[in-house]
Amino acid sequence: MKSVIDHERAFISLFNQTARYHHRHQVFEDFVSCSVIALQNVLSFCEKREQKYLRIVARYEKPDVIRMAKLLAHVVDGLDDSPGDFLGRVFMQLELGDKYRAQFFTPWDVAIMMARMQLGNVTDHFKDKPFFTLSEPACGAGCMVLAYAAVLRDAGYSPHRYMWVSATDIDPLAAGMAYIQLSLSGVAGEIVIGNALNDERRRVLYTFGHYQGDWSSRLRSALNPAA
């Protein structure tokens, strides 16, 4: 069985072979966009999204379209082998971070430490309530949210049942990365492309866990317990 490090190396190696006729940052953006569309259309097919996907892949040769699908498979297997910010790590290893936007992703060990400090005794959070909500106003690729989910899981609580997340980022690429990773990791919530400082919500994406856990109803019930 491959380790998560093996999947990261395999992803980077395959990415470097993919569409060398395009700028690296553009290829990564297109990979993220296509992966987001694929995951969304599994939940609910949308012809408009499908047409966007077709417009993107039309710029690529067929072998490179196949490579993009294999890249997503490495993300799936990497997250399945070990929780963590897979896409954030490979993004930084590929030196695609934009220093002018301060895109430096939080190391996983630091995120886990912060999540453990914030959550403390996990059981205490559920003594008088069935779940808690988490707001992440600058989510990046979702590292901190994934760390919270990992700490919950280690304590014996399934994240998609006990935590709902609203994760926002102003950068569509970062938000797309977060959507992919939170969806694949079973986290329930919304990923917002917008600016949390002025409550701008340009686009909202809901994870599979949000629908699976009937979170729209659960959140309404929590806000209106007498309803």
Side-chain angles (χ1 to χ4, degrees):
M1 180 180 293
K2 288 188 176 182
S3 70
V4 66
I5 298 299
D6 289 330
H7 283 298
E8 287 180 15
R9 290 175 178 169
F11 181 101
I12 290 168
S13 176
L14 184 60
F15 179 81
N16 286 333
Q17 299 171 45
T18 303
R20 293 177 178 175
Y21 42 87
H22 286 322
H23 191 279
R24 295 296 83 197
H25 201 283
Q26 184 62 58
V27 175
F28 196 89
E29 284 187 353
D30 287 341
F31 158 71
V32 169
S33 294
C34 288
S35 298
V36 168
I37 291 170
L39 292 172
Q40 285 187 294
N41 273 358
V42 168
L43 285 173
S44 176
F45 183 82
C46 172
E47 183 62 31
K48 185 177 180 180
R49 284 197 297 261
E50 185 68 10
Q51 289 303 314
K52 180 181 178 181
Y53 172 86
L54 292 174
R55 287 195 299 271
I56 293 172
V57 299
R59 301 196 297 264
Y60 290 84
E61 297 173 1
K62 185 175 180 179
D64 291 316
V65 176
I66 295 172
R67 288 187 182 102
M68 283 195 180
K70 290 181 178 179
L71 288 172
L72 181 58
H74 283 305
V75 179
V76 173
D77 290 340
L79 290 172
D80 186 58
D81 283 352
S82 178
D85 185 9
F86 184 99
L87 285 175
R89 285 195 295 266
V90 298
F91 188 76
M92 296 307 292
Q93 289 177 64
L94 289 165
E95 299 183 343
L96 296 173
D98 185 346
K99 65 181 179 181
Y100 300 106
R101 294 182 183 177
Q103 288 179 311
F104 299 98
F105 294 96
T106 306
W108 180 245
D109 289 346
V110 174
I112 285 289
M113 178 190 70
M114 294 171 65
R116 286 173 177 161
M117 291 173 62
Q118 289 291 320
L119 285 172
N121 186 335
V122 175
T123 302
D124 290 345
H125 291 276
F126 307 113
K127 286 182 177 179
D128 57 357
K129 57 186 177 183
F131 64 87
F132 68 83
T133 60
L134 175 67
S135 178
E136 175 58 283
C139 67
C143 184
M144 279 306 307
V145 176
L146 292 166
Y148 270 82
V151 172
L152 281 178
R153 197 176 291 110
D154 288 346
Y157 294 88
S158 298
H160 75 277
R161 293 182 57 195
Y162 291 93
M163 178 179 72
W164 186 86
V165 176
S166 179
T168 301
D169 205 280
I170 198 169
D171 179 18
L173 175 60
M177 293 162 67
Y179 175 79
I180 293 167
Q181 297 199 120
L182 299 189
S183 294
L184 295 176
S185 299
V187 175
E190 63 177 16
I191 291 81
V192 180
I193 301 172
N195 190 339
L197 293 177
N198 60 10
D199 200 29
E200 176 195 36
R201 293 164 65 90
R202 299 197 305 273
R203 186 180 175 197
V204 181
L205 310 175
Y206 292 97
T207 66
F208 178 76
H210 172 84
Y211 296 104
Q212 182 186 37
D214 193 24
W215 277 96
S216 293
S217 297
R218 294 185 71 186
L219 292 169
R220 280 197 302 270
S221 297
L223 290 172
N224 303 287

